Amino acid sequence: MIVRKEIDISKPLTKEEIESLHDFINSPPIPDEDCPFLSDEELERFHRVSEKNKIDRKKPSVTIRISPKAYNTAKSLGKGYTSVLARMLEADLSDKKKIQQFL
């Protein structure tokens, strides 16, 4: 059974809301077909997959020299500009014609 409650975070919690939260915290998890309990072996498999994916996703840090104009243009993109630059590099490095153009 799913119970949904909305709490207005701009107001202090009522006594009833606090009790409801304590009841939730102290209640045991209830498995169902969508979210069954997992054995230790199953949990270990998830852990290994998670660790492998973490290693595969780790991005090396690289230092490059770019012109002030390129730097300022990139910075003007705002927060996350380094991710944008990384995606642009990845896209252009997969295009052999683009690479030849700049060699």
Side-chain angles (χ1 to χ4, degrees):
M1 174 173 73
I2 296 176
V3 177
R4 295 185 189 270
K5 298 210 177 208
E6 289 190 26
I7 296 175
D8 184 350
I9 60 172
S10 65
K11 298 178 184 176
L13 295 174
T14 66
K15 184 178 179 181
E16 181 184 272
E17 290 169 335
I18 292 171
E19 287 175 9
S20 177
L21 288 172
H22 282 290
D23 289 343
F24 173 73
I25 289 169
N26 296 323
S27 65
I30 302 170
D32 61 20
E33 63 185 44
D34 293 328
C35 188
F37 276 123
L38 299 175
S39 69
D40 289 340
E41 183 180 292
E42 291 170 316
L43 289 172
E44 180 61 27
R45 278 198 350 234
F46 278 122
H47 176 72
R48 283 185 299 219
V49 169
S50 169
E51 287 301 315
K52 181 185 180 309
N53 288 344
K54 186 177 178 181
I55 291 168
D56 291 345
R57 286 190 316 263
K58 186 172 181 173
K59 298 174 185 172
S61 181
V62 176
T63 301
I64 62 171
R65 293 171 118 15
I66 59 175
S67 70
K69 180 180 177 184
Y71 175 75
N72 291 329
T73 302
K75 278 287 269 195
S76 73
L77 299 172
K79 186 176 180 180
Y81 76 94
T82 56
S83 295
V84 173
L85 288 175
R87 288 192 299 272
M88 290 170 65
L89 273 171
E90 194 170 323
D92 286 344
L93 288 172
S94 64
D95 184 343
K96 290 182 181 181
K97 287 182 182 178
K98 281 237 178 168
I99 293 172
Q100 288 300 320
Q101 177 183 346
F102 294 104
L103 291 178

